[in-house]
Amino acid sequence: MIDQATSTLFLADLQNGETGIITKILGHGAFRKRITEMGFVKNKKVLVIKNAPLQDPIEYKIMDSHVSLRRSEARLIEVVPVIDSKENTDIEFDGTILEESLEQLVLEKTKTINIALVGNPNCGKTTLFNHATGKHERVGNYGGVTVDTKEARLIQDGYTINVTDLPGTYSISEYSPEELFVRRHITDNMPDVVVNVIDSSNLERNLFLTSQLMDMNINVVIALNMYDELENKGDKFDYEALAKIIGIPIVTTVASKGLGIKNLFSKIIDVYERRDPVSRHAHINYGVDIEEAISRLRTEIKKNKKLSDKYYPRYTAIKLLENDKSFLGQLVQEEDTISILTLAKKEIEKLEKEFKEKSETIIADAKYGFIHGVLKETYEQQQIDRRQKSNAIDSLLTHKYFGFPFFILFLWIMFQLTFSLGSYPMDWIDSVVGYVGTFLENLLPAGSLRDLLVNGIIGGVGGVIVFLPNILILFFCISLMEDTGYMARAAFIMDKLMHKIGLHGKSFIPLIMGFGCNVPAVMATRTLENRKDRILTMLILPFMSCSARLPVYVLLISAFFPHNQGLVLLSIYLIGIVMAILAALVFKNTFFAKQDVPFVMELPPYRIPTLRNTTVHMWHKSLQYLSKMGTVILSASILIWALGYFPREINFSKNYEGMSSAVKNNSSLSQKEKEEKLNQIDVDKQSERMENSYIGKIGHFIEPAIRPLGYDWKLGVSIITGLAAKEIVVGSMGVLYQSDTHADEYSASLKNKLQEQVFTSGPKAGQKVLNPLVAYSLMLFVLLYFPCIAVIAAIRKEADWKWASFTMLYTTILAWFVAFATYQIGSLF
């Protein structure tokens, strides 16, 4: 059977009489050695003779020898099938490749290398991935940026290299979901080479993960990243000597500048082709007692060939001695493992009795002892405080009293820049959109097409694209905070508060990420070890005001709060944070009463962000925003326009044609007065048409629910369309309010139309719909209500439908009550 995802065929997939050419041997040391000795090497032909009666084992012919392999062993050998060789068992079989096209295919397969990037959080994996592959994945100077795998492909020296960027992890034990994810990827996907990215500024901690990779007996290359920082500090590191000791080639890189990456991939090719002189399997000596326990377990494990083919026996023994529950769970599912598990339990009891420690602690201490020893031989550190500058900055930014004011100040500066700098390009884009609308209005004859283009597409999409500069500035500021390392300090500052509301301090990272987009923020909750922490964080994440809501805020604040715009916007964001805190307190005492998890989070040294990373991040987000313009928002704008344009046959309550004729024939009016009255009659006619359209009927149907909030039916429709994506709220306003405008007034901005909009019916008929109080209430409603569909899908994926449905329901109910209280109480004053 061919794996459709990777188009890979294994020897076990060939049928009787079929021939394959070996392209790759998977598996581990003992298996590879045994299989190679039997002649199973790259570019050799293998003929399937027959399956045993029970379909296992299988007899093969290779180099004139008949060999029997179990199906599980044959599944670790990749092949390319030789077409039309079936049933032809008498052909000359000299182990060479004759077909030119087949030879090319085999060459491509044998020159395809699958690698995985593995390393501690914040070691620069994703930056390296971006530089090597030309991708633009998100990076930041704090842990947990990569919350899912990223995959890309590159070509170097005739080799196709498939690169997978795995989540950052401090180890591959069982402590957190990302640790298990990384370990399972390595054991199940069996990458040809694992690239262990190491932060040069913290060698001892980073090498702990390296020591675990050494236990696995896999091909590893170390990328010694941020090497310029080590050199700038004056430290001396004989990394070539370390490479020889641990049997892993080491290449120095500076991923942020693209230095050393080409050399790194050249080394990967050398290791893949087994021509690197340094690459070998080296064991860590854990001491006499532990080594004896490992040896006894290895002997027992080797008796189970199926298990020893899948996992390197020494690695299996070490994981058993560590009492790794996840690994134990996997072994229980394997055949004939009871004797192994029983022996492991006895060995653990012996070690714990001897060392008076838990077995996992004993192994970890031995690893750190080995790391300390090799670094003592190879690493000379200058006797200065390596984090002196960071500590000096932290004395202010994480100060007991000054930390919070600085945090609030940075947020205020970010929001003020969003308005002050964004207003100029925003006005330019707005004038261009207005010009395009006026041009089409004058160019095209009256009719459905002109109405669709001008009021539907230009009014909807154009009304949203105006806010692109504000989005870019917001993401630029967030990226600066991430890249400098301040975001991790924000989590440190907020830990005590987060603890009081039942959350881990690390939850603050996904919450801050939510200011950019709630979807990756929901995914970032995977970095939290406790499931209850993850779900609770997901439930309050929608209150973090994402960039999709920003166009709504900018529009309303520009129209109704011309003074202190940054302060008003900051208040909206702070209210979102307060609501998240209150919701978390309620949930903490209802659904999520739990034991505390210790706050353990790295505070990386401050780094000067590179302009490339910051601008790439900003540009990538702008592309996402623009793609939304051309898909979701365009579709929604056309749909809203169509619902507002039809039906065309309307029984008007007034004779607007007669009223227009009467004004035209009234000689007592000046020309200017006539134009004003005619324009008003036209506006009244279009308003009544809109009210009797399909979307008007929908709006009037929901109006009883939103009238207590001070909204008219058009605002209600805009809110409903925002369920798909919050930017559509502005697009909907652009379509709905644009239709009330006379053609000659098209160039007037949506902001002015909102200021002039009046109720067309009911007790408030003739009164203005929006004022500062209603605008603020509307911003709070948009802040709190139903997250967009993408966020709900992310919550369903990370938790389940129950929590996703609950999030939809409780956020919308809360939004209504908050907006109701704001409007009704504010109206009293």
Side-chain angles (χ1 to χ4, degrees):
M1 180 180 68
I2 295 177
D3 183 346
Q4 295 297 334
T6 60
S7 299
T8 299
L9 191 71
F10 298 98
L11 186 57
D13 299 323
L14 298 180
Q15 303 300 313
N16 291 348
E18 290 185 341
T19 300
I21 299 171
I22 299 173
T23 57
K24 193 174 294 185
I25 306 294
L26 306 178
H28 303 283
F31 167 76
R32 295 178 68 98
K33 186 174 183 297
R34 186 176 79 251
I35 212 78
T36 302
E37 289 171 350
M38 290 191 291
F40 289 86
V41 293
K42 284 193 298 185
N43 292 331
K44 290 298 180 181
K45 279 186 179 181
V46 186
L47 177 66
V48 184
I49 302 299
K50 62 177 178 293
N51 284 245
L54 297 178
Q55 301 302 305
D56 204 6
I58 307 171
E59 181 184 347
Y60 297 100
K61 182 180 179 182
I62 183 167
M63 295 194 298
D64 290 327
S65 297
H66 287 247
V67 179
S68 177
L69 294 181
R70 292 191 305 274
R71 188 169 290 275
S72 60
E73 294 174 325
R75 188 155 288 282
L76 296 174
I77 302 172
E78 289 186 12
V79 297
V80 169
V82 178
I83 309 301
D84 296 328
S85 64
K86 195 171 183 179
E87 303 301 331
N88 190 0
T89 59
D90 297 324
I91 61 172
E92 183 181 351
F93 206 79
D94 58 3
T96 60
I97 304 170
L98 301 177
E99 301 87 347
E100 186 175 326
S101 60
L102 184 60
E103 184 174 0
Q104 180 62 32
L105 179 59
V106 171
L107 185 64
E108 290 176 4
K109 285 287 185 179
T110 55
K111 287 204 169 189
T112 298
I113 308 175
N114 300 317
I115 73 169
L117 300 182
V118 175
N120 285 192
N122 197 44
C123 67
K125 283 188 301 79
T126 304
T127 304
L128 192 151
F129 176 85
N130 287 341
H131 262 285
T133 64
K135 295 289 184 179
H136 307 299
E137 298 298 342
R138 195 166 160 275
V139 296
N141 186 18
Y142 61 90
V145 174
T146 304
V147 292
D148 207 345
T149 60
K150 313 288 193 308
E151 296 179 355
R153 178 176 296 178
L154 63 94
I155 306 294
Q156 181 168 320
D157 300 333
Y159 288 82
T160 299
I161 304 176
N162 298 316
V163 188
T164 301
D165 180 21
L166 297 175
T169 176
Y170 293 107
S171 74
I172 45 175
S173 299
E174 57 167 345
Y175 190 56
S176 66
E178 66 266 21
E179 291 177 0
L180 292 177
F181 182 86
V182 171
R183 188 170 79 191
R184 285 175 180 166
H185 181 90
I186 294 173
T187 55
D188 296 347
N189 294 68
M190 296 184 187
D192 299 309
V193 180
V194 170
V195 179
N196 181 200
V197 184
I198 288 179
D199 178 359
S200 299
S201 65
N202 201 331
L203 291 171
E204 189 165 3
R205 194 207 59 218
N206 278 247
L207 285 170
F208 184 80
L209 177 58
T210 309
S211 70
Q212 293 180 315
L213 296 174
M214 289 171 66
D215 290 335
M216 298 182 79
N217 189 26
I218 55 178
N219 291 327
V220 181
V221 174
I222 290 177
L224 193 59
N225 199 27
M226 307 178 199
Y227 193 68
D228 55 338
E229 293 187 11
L230 184 146
E231 291 181 315
N232 292 338
K233 288 182 297 190
D235 292 354
K236 295 179 181 178
F237 183 30
D238 189 352
Y239 62 86
E240 292 179 346
L242 176 64
K244 291 176 181 176
I245 293 171
I246 63 177
I248 299 175
I250 299 177
V251 179
T252 60
T253 61
V254 184
S256 61
K257 300 175 183 177
L259 301 178
I261 293 178
K262 189 173 182 65
N263 292 338
L264 172 66
F265 282 89
S266 295
K267 184 64 68 176
I268 290 168
I269 294 169
D270 288 343
V271 170
Y272 172 73
E273 294 291 1
R274 305 189 180 280
R275 60 185 181 221
D276 185 84
V278 173
S279 182
R280 63 184 176 85
H281 180 52
H283 290 165
I284 295 173
N285 190 330
Y286 289 101
V288 176
D289 295 319
I290 300 175
E291 285 295 336
E292 287 179 355
I294 292 172
S295 178
R296 286 190 286 269
L297 275 169
R298 280 182 65 200
T299 302
E300 189 65 30
I301 291 165
K302 284 182 176 180
K303 295 176 184 177
N304 188 325
K305 291 296 183 184
K306 185 176 180 182
L307 183 63
S308 60
D309 286 347
K310 188 173 183 181
Y311 302 108
Y312 181 55
R314 181 178 172 86
Y315 168 73
T316 305
I318 293 170
K319 297 311 291 181
L320 287 171
L321 290 177
E322 286 179 332
N323 200 22
D324 188 310
K325 291 182 175 56
S326 176
F327 193 79
L328 288 172
Q330 290 176 268
L331 291 195
V332 167
Q333 298 175 11
E334 300 287 344
E335 299 176 5
D336 303 325
T337 57
I338 295 176
S339 60
I340 298 172
L341 297 174
T342 304
L343 178 59
K345 188 176 180 181
K346 289 179 182 178
E347 296 297 338
I348 289 171
E349 290 173 355
K350 286 182 187 177
L351 289 174
E352 291 182 348
K353 184 177 180 181
E354 176 70 25
F355 288 89
K356 303 294 189 294
E357 285 277 9
K358 289 288 186 182
S359 59
E360 58 265 35
T361 305
I362 299 169
I363 299 291
D365 286 346
K367 286 182 183 294
Y368 274 117
F370 167 77
I371 293 167
H372 179 75
V374 294
L375 287 181
K376 192 173 182 180
E377 292 184 30
T378 59
Y379 183 44
E380 183 181 333
Q381 182 179 334
Q382 293 297 308
Q383 296 303 311
I384 58 172
D385 185 356
R386 297 184 303 151
R387 299 176 60 96
Q388 190 172 356
K389 291 182 180 179
S390 292
N391 291 340
I393 299 171
D394 279 343
S395 64
L396 281 176
L397 297 187
T398 62
H399 189 271
K400 181 178 180 180
Y401 300 111
F402 301 146
F404 276 103
F406 272 115
F407 179 55
I408 299 298
L409 175 64
F410 290 150
L411 290 181
W412 177 80
I413 291 172
M414 178 172 69
F415 297 136
Q416 191 61 43
L417 285 175
T418 299
F419 276 101
S420 57
L421 289 183
S423 62
Y424 299 105
M426 179 181 169
D427 290 340
W428 300 336
I429 297 174
D430 194 24
S431 61
V432 171
V433 170
Y435 173 79
V436 172
T438 304
F439 175 77
L440 291 175
E441 186 84 32
N442 296 328
L443 177 67
L444 299 173
S448 300
L449 178 60
R450 187 179 77 173
D451 203 271
L452 169 62
L453 292 175
V454 175
N455 294 331
I457 296 175
I458 302 298
V461 176
V464 181
I465 202 171
V466 165
F467 302 101
L468 178 61
N470 307 90
I471 300 288
L472 292 180
I473 293 170
L474 178 69
F475 273 113
F476 183 83
C477 294
I478 290 176
S479 182
L480 281 180
M481 287 199 291
E482 292 174 347
D483 294 347
T484 57
Y486 180 71
M487 201 66 85
R489 271 72 182 180
F492 175 78
I493 293 169
M494 297 294 293
D495 177 59
K496 189 171 183 179
L497 176 61
M498 303 296 283
H499 178 78
K500 288 184 179 296
I501 65 174
L503 281 173
H504 194 282
K506 285 172 69 174
S507 294
F508 193 66
I509 295 295
L511 293 178
I512 287 291
M513 287 176 65
F515 286 151
C517 180
N518 286 173
V519 175
V522 169
M523 295 171 64
T525 59
R526 296 179 192 174
T527 60
L528 302 171
E529 290 81 11
N530 186 288
R531 175 173 167 79
K532 289 183 177 180
D533 278 333
R534 293 198 295 275
I535 294 177
L536 179 52
T537 305
M538 287 180 215
L539 290 180
I540 65 173
L541 255 172
F543 298 145
M544 299 299 105
S545 198
C546 66
S547 61
R549 298 176 173 100
L550 187 61
V552 183
Y553 303 153
V554 174
L555 174 64
L556 295 175
I557 291 173
S558 299
F560 299 100
F561 300 94
H563 307 293
N564 300 316
Q565 294 178 330
L567 195 60
V568 174
L569 183 59
L570 177 61
S571 72
I572 295 293
Y573 279 74
L574 290 179
I575 288 172
I577 294 172
V578 170
M579 294 307 301
I581 291 170
L582 294 176
L585 285 171
V586 172
F587 296 145
K588 173 190 175 183
N589 295 311
T590 52
F591 305 134
F592 300 105
K594 62 176 180 62
Q595 294 181 339
D596 291 330
V597 175
F599 178 73
V600 181
M601 182 173 180
E602 179 188 3
L603 292 180
Y606 286 101
R607 293 191 172 100
I608 298 174
T610 63
L611 184 62
R612 181 185 184 278
N613 279 346
T614 305
T615 52
V616 162
H617 184 201
M618 186 177 68
W619 173 245
H620 188 49
K621 290 299 177 184
S622 69
L623 289 179
Q624 289 182 347
Y625 190 73
L626 291 171
S627 67
K628 213 183 254 189
M629 298 293 102
T631 54
V632 178
I633 295 173
L634 175 62
S635 303
S637 297
I638 293 173
L639 176 62
I640 295 164
W641 169 84
L643 291 172
Y645 190 75
F646 298 102
R648 299 304 296 165
E649 299 299 324
I650 301 293
N651 294 321
F652 291 106
S653 61
K654 299 177 182 178
N655 183 5
Y656 291 106
E657 297 298 330
M659 292 168 64
S660 297
S661 299
V663 169
K664 291 176 183 178
N665 297 326
N666 190 340
S667 57
S668 63
L669 297 174
S670 65
Q671 186 62 32
K672 184 178 180 181
E673 290 174 330
K674 285 184 179 181
E675 289 179 359
E676 289 177 353
K677 286 185 176 293
L678 288 172
N679 285 345
Q680 186 58 50
I681 291 170
D682 192 28
V683 168
D684 292 342
K685 179 180 179 181
Q686 295 303 325
S687 295
E688 186 172 349
R689 175 183 293 281
M690 180 64 73
E691 285 197 54
N692 287 279
S693 68
Y694 295 127
I695 203 164
K697 291 174 183 178
I698 295 172
H700 284 296
F701 177 77
I702 64 169
E703 198 168 19
I706 59 174
R707 271 292 169 96
L709 312 182
Y711 308 159
D712 70 346
W713 65 270
K714 293 181 181 179
L715 291 181
V717 169
S718 299
I719 288 170
I720 289 177
T721 58
L723 300 181
K726 293 298 178 283
E727 301 98 330
I728 299 178
V729 173
V730 174
S732 301
M733 290 179 179
V735 175
L736 294 173
Y737 293 128
Q738 189 61 56
S739 61
D740 280 355
T741 306
H742 191 266
D744 295 338
E745 297 176 347
Y746 182 83
S747 59
S749 68
L750 178 57
K751 177 176 69 175
N752 295 332
K753 298 185 186 74
L754 292 177
Q755 293 169 339
E756 298 165 1
Q757 187 66 25
V758 297
F759 286 99
T760 55
S761 60
K764 292 185 178 181
Q767 296 181 27
K768 288 190 176 181
V769 175
L770 283 161
N771 54 45
L773 176 62
V774 176
Y776 201 81
S777 165
L778 180 58
M779 286 190 286
L780 291 179
F781 192 95
V782 171
L783 164 71
L784 300 174
Y785 88 116
F786 193 108
C788 71
I789 296 298
V791 174
I792 294 300
I795 294 175
R796 184 203 65 79
K797 180 181 178 183
E798 298 298 321
D800 52 42
W801 266 117
K802 178 183 71 174
W803 292 114
S805 302
F806 176 73
T807 304
M808 289 186 283
L809 185 64
Y810 100 87
T811 54
T812 304
I813 293 173
L814 182 63
W816 191 93
F817 278 107
V818 170
F820 175 79
T822 302
Y823 175 69
Q824 295 297 336
I825 294 173
S827 297
L828 298 177
F829 302 96

